[in-house]
Coordinates of all heavy atoms in Angstrom, one line a residue:
F1 N -18.1 -8.6 -33.4 CA -17.5 -8.9 -32.1 C -16.0 -9.2 -32.2 O -15.3 -8.9 -31.2 CB -18.2 -10.2 -31.5 CG -19.6 -9.9 -31.0 CD1 -20.6 -10.9 -31.0 CD2 -20.0 -8.7 -30.4 CE1 -21.9 -10.6 -30.6 CE2 -21.2 -8.4 -30.0 CZ -22.2 -9.4 -30.0
L2 N -15.6 -9.7 -33.3 CA -14.2 -9.9 -33.5 C -13.4 -8.7 -33.4 O -12.2 -8.7 -33.1 CB -13.9 -10.7 -34.8 CG -12.5 -11.1 -35.1 CD1 -12.0 -12.1 -34.0 CD2 -12.4 -11.8 -36.5
N3 N -14.0 -7.6 -33.8 CA -13.3 -6.3 -33.8 C -12.9 -5.8 -32.3 O -12.1 -4.9 -32.1 CB -14.1 -5.2 -34.4 CG -14.2 -5.3 -35.9 OD1 -13.3 -5.8 -36.6 ND2 -15.4 -4.9 -36.5
I4 N -13.5 -6.5 -31.3 CA -13.2 -6.3 -30.0 C -11.7 -6.5 -29.7 O -11.0 -5.9 -28.9 CB -14.0 -7.1 -29.0 CG1 -15.5 -6.7 -29.1 CG2 -13.6 -7.0 -27.6 CD1 -16.5 -7.5 -28.3
T5 N -11.1 -7.5 -30.4 CA -9.7 -7.8 -30.3 C -8.9 -6.6 -30.7 O -7.8 -6.4 -30.1 CB -9.3 -9.1 -31.1 OG1 -9.7 -8.9 -32.5 CG2 -10.1 -10.3 -30.6
V6 N -9.3 -5.9 -31.7 CA -8.6 -4.7 -32.2 C -8.5 -3.7 -31.0 O -7.5 -3.1 -30.8 CB -9.2 -4.2 -33.4 CG1 -8.4 -2.9 -33.9 CG2 -9.2 -5.2 -34.5
C7 N -9.7 -3.5 -30.4 CA -9.8 -2.6 -29.3 C -8.8 -3.0 -28.1 O -8.2 -2.2 -27.5 CB -11.2 -2.4 -28.8 SG -12.3 -1.8 -30.0
G8 N -8.7 -4.3 -27.9 CA -7.8 -4.8 -26.9 C -6.4 -4.5 -27.2 O -5.6 -4.2 -26.3
A9 N -6.0 -4.6 -28.5 CA -4.7 -4.2 -28.9 C -4.4 -2.8 -28.6 O -3.3 -2.4 -28.2 CB -4.5 -4.6 -30.3
V10 N -5.4 -1.9 -28.8 CA -5.2 -0.5 -28.5 C -4.9 -0.2 -27.1 O -4.2 0.7 -26.7 CB -6.4 0.3 -29.0 CG1 -6.4 1.8 -28.6 CG2 -6.6 0.2 -30.5
L11 N -5.6 -1.0 -26.2 CA -5.4 -0.8 -24.7 C -4.0 -1.1 -24.3 O -3.6 -0.6 -23.2 CB -6.4 -1.7 -24.0 CG -7.9 -1.5 -24.3 CD1 -8.7 -2.5 -23.4 CD2 -8.3 -0.1 -24.0
R12 N -3.2 -1.9 -25.0 CA -1.9 -2.3 -24.6 C -1.0 -1.1 -24.3 O -0.1 -1.1 -23.4 CB -1.3 -3.3 -25.6 CG 0.0 -4.0 -25.1 CD 0.5 -5.0 -26.1 NE -0.5 -6.1 -26.3 CZ -0.6 -7.1 -25.5 NH1 0.2 -7.3 -24.5 NH2 -1.5 -8.1 -25.8
R13 N -1.1 -0.1 -25.1 CA -0.2 1.1 -25.0 C -0.4 1.8 -23.7 O 0.5 2.3 -23.0 CB -0.4 2.0 -26.1 CG 0.5 3.3 -26.0 CD 0.4 4.1 -27.3 NE 1.3 5.2 -27.2 CZ 1.6 6.1 -28.2 NH1 1.1 5.8 -29.4 NH2 2.4 7.1 -28.0
F14 N -1.7 1.8 -23.2 CA -2.0 2.5 -22.0 C -1.8 1.6 -20.8 O -1.5 2.1 -19.7 CB -3.5 3.0 -22.0 CG -3.8 3.9 -23.1 CD1 -4.3 3.4 -24.3 CD2 -3.6 5.3 -23.0 CE1 -4.6 4.3 -25.3 CE2 -3.9 6.1 -24.0 CZ -4.4 5.7 -25.2
E15 N -1.8 0.3 -21.0 CA -1.8 -0.6 -19.9 C -0.4 -0.5 -19.1 O -0.4 -0.7 -17.9 CB -2.0 -2.0 -20.3 CG -2.2 -3.0 -19.2 CD -2.7 -4.4 -19.8 OE1 -2.5 -4.6 -21.0 OE2 -3.2 -5.2 -19.0
Q16 N 0.7 -0.3 -19.8 CA 2.0 -0.3 -19.2 C 2.1 0.9 -18.1 O 2.9 0.8 -17.2 CB 3.1 -0.2 -20.2 CG 3.0 1.0 -21.1 CD 4.0 1.0 -22.2 OE1 4.7 0.0 -22.3 NE2 4.0 2.0 -23.1
N17 N 1.3 1.9 -18.4 CA 1.4 3.0 -17.4 C 0.5 2.8 -16.2 O 0.6 3.5 -15.2 CB 0.9 4.3 -18.1 CG 1.8 4.7 -19.2 OD1 3.0 4.5 -19.2 ND2 1.2 5.3 -20.3
L18 N -0.4 1.8 -16.2 CA -1.3 1.6 -15.1 C -0.9 0.4 -14.3 O -1.4 0.3 -13.1 CB -2.8 1.3 -15.7 CG -3.4 2.5 -16.5 CD1 -4.7 2.0 -17.1 CD2 -3.5 3.7 -15.6
N19 N -0.1 -0.5 -14.8 CA 0.2 -1.7 -14.0 C 1.1 -1.3 -12.9 O 2.1 -0.5 -13.0 CB 1.0 -2.7 -14.9 CG 0.1 -3.4 -15.9 OD1 -1.1 -3.4 -15.7 ND2 0.6 -3.9 -17.0
R20 N 0.8 -1.8 -11.7 CA 1.6 -1.5 -10.5 C 2.0 -2.8 -9.8 O 1.1 -3.5 -9.4 CB 0.8 -0.6 -9.5 CG 0.5 0.8 -10.0 CD -0.3 1.5 -9.0 NE -0.6 2.9 -9.4 CZ -1.6 3.2 -10.1 NH1 -2.5 2.3 -10.5 NH2 -1.8 4.5 -10.5
K21 N 3.3 -3.1 -9.8 CA 3.7 -4.3 -9.2 C 4.0 -4.1 -7.7 O 4.4 -3.0 -7.3 CB 5.0 -4.8 -9.9 CG 4.8 -5.2 -11.3 CD 6.0 -5.7 -12.0 CE 5.8 -6.1 -13.4 NZ 7.0 -6.6 -14.0
P22 N 3.8 -5.1 -6.8 CA 4.0 -4.9 -5.4 C 5.5 -4.7 -5.1 O 6.3 -5.2 -5.8 CB 3.4 -6.2 -4.8 CG 3.5 -7.2 -5.9 CD 3.2 -6.4 -7.2
S23 N 5.7 -4.0 -4.1 CA 7.1 -3.7 -3.8 C 7.8 -4.9 -3.2 O 7.2 -5.9 -2.7 CB 7.2 -2.5 -2.8 OG 6.5 -2.9 -1.6
N24 N 9.2 -4.9 -3.1 CA 9.9 -6.0 -2.6 C 9.6 -6.2 -1.1 O 9.7 -7.3 -0.6 CB 11.4 -5.7 -2.7 CG 11.8 -5.7 -4.2 OD1 11.2 -6.4 -5.0 ND2 12.8 -4.9 -4.6
V25 N 9.3 -5.1 -0.4 CA 9.0 -5.2 1.1 C 7.7 -6.0 1.3 O 7.7 -6.9 2.1 CB 8.8 -3.8 1.7 CG1 8.4 -3.9 3.1 CG2 10.1 -3.0 1.5
K26 N 6.7 -5.7 0.4 CA 5.4 -6.5 0.6 C 5.6 -7.9 0.2 O 5.0 -8.8 0.8 CB 4.4 -5.8 -0.3 CG 3.9 -4.5 0.2 CD 2.8 -4.0 -0.7 CE 2.3 -2.6 -0.2 NZ 1.2 -2.1 -1.1
Q27 N 6.5 -8.2 -0.8 CA 6.8 -9.6 -1.2 C 7.5 -10.3 -0.1 O 7.2 -11.5 0.2 CB 7.6 -9.6 -2.5 CG 6.8 -9.1 -3.7 CD 7.7 -9.1 -5.0 OE1 8.9 -9.3 -4.9 NE2 7.1 -8.8 -6.1
C28 N 8.4 -9.7 0.6 CA 9.1 -10.3 1.7 C 8.1 -10.6 2.8 O 8.2 -11.6 3.5 CB 10.3 -9.4 2.2 SG 11.6 -9.3 0.9
Q29 N 7.2 -9.6 3.1 CA 6.3 -9.8 4.2 C 5.3 -11.0 3.9 O 5.0 -11.8 4.8 CB 5.5 -8.6 4.4 CG 6.3 -7.4 5.0 CD 5.4 -6.1 5.1 OE1 4.3 -6.0 4.6 NE2 6.0 -5.1 5.8
R30 N 5.0 -11.2 2.6 CA 4.1 -12.3 2.2 C 4.8 -13.6 2.4 O 4.2 -14.6 2.7 CB 3.6 -12.1 0.8 CG 2.6 -10.9 0.6 CD 2.2 -10.7 -0.8 NE 1.3 -9.7 -1.0 CZ 0.9 -9.2 -2.1 NH1 1.3 -9.7 -3.3 NH2 0.0 -8.2 -2.2
R31 N 6.1 -13.7 2.1 CA 6.9 -14.9 2.3 C 6.9 -15.3 3.7 O 7.0 -16.5 4.0 CB 8.3 -14.8 1.7 CG 8.3 -14.6 0.2 CD 9.7 -14.7 -0.4 NE 9.8 -14.3 -1.7 CZ 10.3 -13.2 -2.2 NH1 10.8 -12.3 -1.3 NH2 10.4 -12.9 -3.5
E32 N 7.0 -14.4 4.6 CA 7.0 -14.7 6.0 C 5.7 -15.2 6.6 O 5.7 -15.8 7.7 CB 7.5 -13.4 6.8 CG 9.0 -13.0 6.4 CD 9.4 -11.7 7.1 OE1 8.5 -11.2 7.9 OE2 10.5 -11.3 7.0
R33 N 4.6 -15.0 5.9 CA 3.3 -15.4 6.5 C 3.0 -16.8 6.1 O 3.7 -17.4 5.2 CB 2.2 -14.5 5.9 CG 2.3 -13.0 6.3 CD 1.4 -12.2 5.6 NE 1.5 -10.8 6.0 CZ 0.8 -9.8 5.3 NH1 0.1 -10.0 4.2 NH2 1.0 -8.5 5.8
G34 N 2.0 -17.4 6.8 CA 1.6 -18.8 6.5 C 0.9 -18.9 5.2 O 0.5 -17.9 4.6
I35 N 0.8 -20.1 4.7 CA 0.2 -20.3 3.4 C -1.3 -19.9 3.4 O -1.7 -19.2 2.4 CB 0.3 -21.8 3.0 CG1 1.8 -22.2 2.8 CG2 -0.5 -22.1 1.7 CD1 2.0 -23.7 2.5
C36 N -2.0 -20.2 4.4 CA -3.5 -19.9 4.5 C -3.6 -18.3 4.5 O -4.5 -17.8 3.8 CB -4.1 -20.5 5.7 SG -4.2 -22.3 5.7
H37 N -2.7 -17.7 5.3 CA -2.8 -16.2 5.3 C -2.5 -15.6 4.0 O -3.0 -14.6 3.6 CB -1.8 -15.7 6.4 CG -2.1 -14.3 6.8 ND1 -1.8 -13.2 6.0 CD2 -2.6 -13.8 8.0 CE1 -2.1 -12.1 6.7 NE2 -2.6 -12.5 7.9
Q38 N -1.5 -16.2 3.3 CA -1.2 -15.7 1.9 C -2.3 -15.9 1.0 O -2.6 -15.0 0.2 CB 0.0 -16.5 1.4 CG 1.4 -16.2 2.1 CD 2.5 -16.9 1.5 OE1 2.5 -17.2 0.3 NE2 3.5 -17.2 2.3
I39 N -3.0 -17.0 1.1 CA -4.2 -17.2 0.2 C -5.3 -16.2 0.4 O -5.8 -15.6 -0.5 CB -4.7 -18.7 0.3 CG1 -3.6 -19.7 -0.2 CG2 -6.0 -18.8 -0.5 CD1 -4.0 -21.1 0.1
L40 N -5.6 -16.0 1.7 CA -6.6 -15.1 2.1 C -6.3 -13.7 1.7 O -7.1 -12.9 1.3 CB -6.9 -15.2 3.6 CG -7.6 -16.5 4.1 CD1 -7.7 -16.5 5.6 CD2 -8.9 -16.7 3.4
S41 N -5.0 -13.3 1.9 CA -4.5 -12.0 1.5 C -4.6 -11.8 0.0 O -4.9 -10.7 -0.5 CB -3.1 -11.8 2.0 OG -3.0 -11.8 3.4
S42 N -4.3 -12.8 -0.7 CA -4.4 -12.7 -2.2 C -5.8 -12.5 -2.6 O -6.1 -11.7 -3.5 CB -3.8 -14.0 -2.8 OG -2.4 -14.1 -2.5
I43 N -6.7 -13.3 -2.0 CA -8.2 -13.1 -2.4 C -8.7 -11.7 -2.0 O -9.4 -11.1 -2.8 CB -9.0 -14.2 -1.7 CG1 -8.6 -15.6 -2.3 CG2 -10.5 -14.0 -1.9 CD1 -9.3 -16.7 -1.5
H44 N -8.2 -11.3 -0.8 CA -8.6 -9.9 -0.3 C -8.2 -8.9 -1.3 O -8.9 -7.9 -1.6 CB -8.0 -9.7 1.1 CG -8.5 -8.5 1.7 ND1 -7.8 -7.2 1.4 CD2 -9.5 -8.2 2.5 CE1 -8.4 -6.3 2.1 NE2 -9.4 -6.8 2.8
S45 N -6.9 -9.0 -1.8 CA -6.4 -8.0 -2.7 C -7.0 -8.1 -4.1 O -7.2 -7.1 -4.7 CB -4.8 -8.2 -2.8 OG -4.3 -7.3 -3.7
L46 N -7.2 -9.4 -4.5 CA -7.7 -9.6 -5.9 C -9.1 -9.0 -6.0 O -9.5 -8.4 -7.0 CB -7.7 -11.1 -6.2 CG -8.1 -11.5 -7.6 CD1 -7.1 -11.0 -8.6 CD2 -8.3 -13.0 -7.7
L47 N -9.9 -9.2 -5.0 CA -11.3 -8.7 -5.0 C -11.5 -7.3 -4.5 O -12.6 -6.8 -4.4 CB -12.2 -9.7 -4.3 CG -12.3 -11.2 -4.8 CD1 -13.2 -12.0 -3.9 CD2 -12.7 -11.2 -6.2

């Protein structure tokens, strides 16, 4: 099972091509919303 960590290290090279960060426009829109709306939007996006 400890060898799973080696497999995790192999995934790091591919991971940088798959990560997508939200755009600045979406970040600005989230700041303008209320806290409850932000929490629900985060849960909606996370799941």
Side-chain angles (χ1 to χ4, degrees):
F1 287 146
L2 186 61
N3 290 329
I4 295 175
T5 58
V6 179
C7 298
V10 172
L11 301 180
R12 190 175 297 277
R13 178 168 183 175
F14 300 93
E15 191 172 16
Q16 58 187 359
N17 298 325
L18 298 175
N19 288 336
R20 296 180 177 87
K21 295 182 179 180
S23 63
N24 294 330
V25 176
K26 291 183 178 181
Q27 290 179 354
C28 293
Q29 290 176 351
R30 289 176 181 175
R31 292 193 189 103
E32 294 175 358
R33 296 170 180 171
I35 296 177
C36 293
H37 198 287
Q38 290 183 26
I39 295 174
L40 293 176
S41 298
S42 298
I43 295 175
H44 184 276
S45 176
L46 184 66
L47 300 178

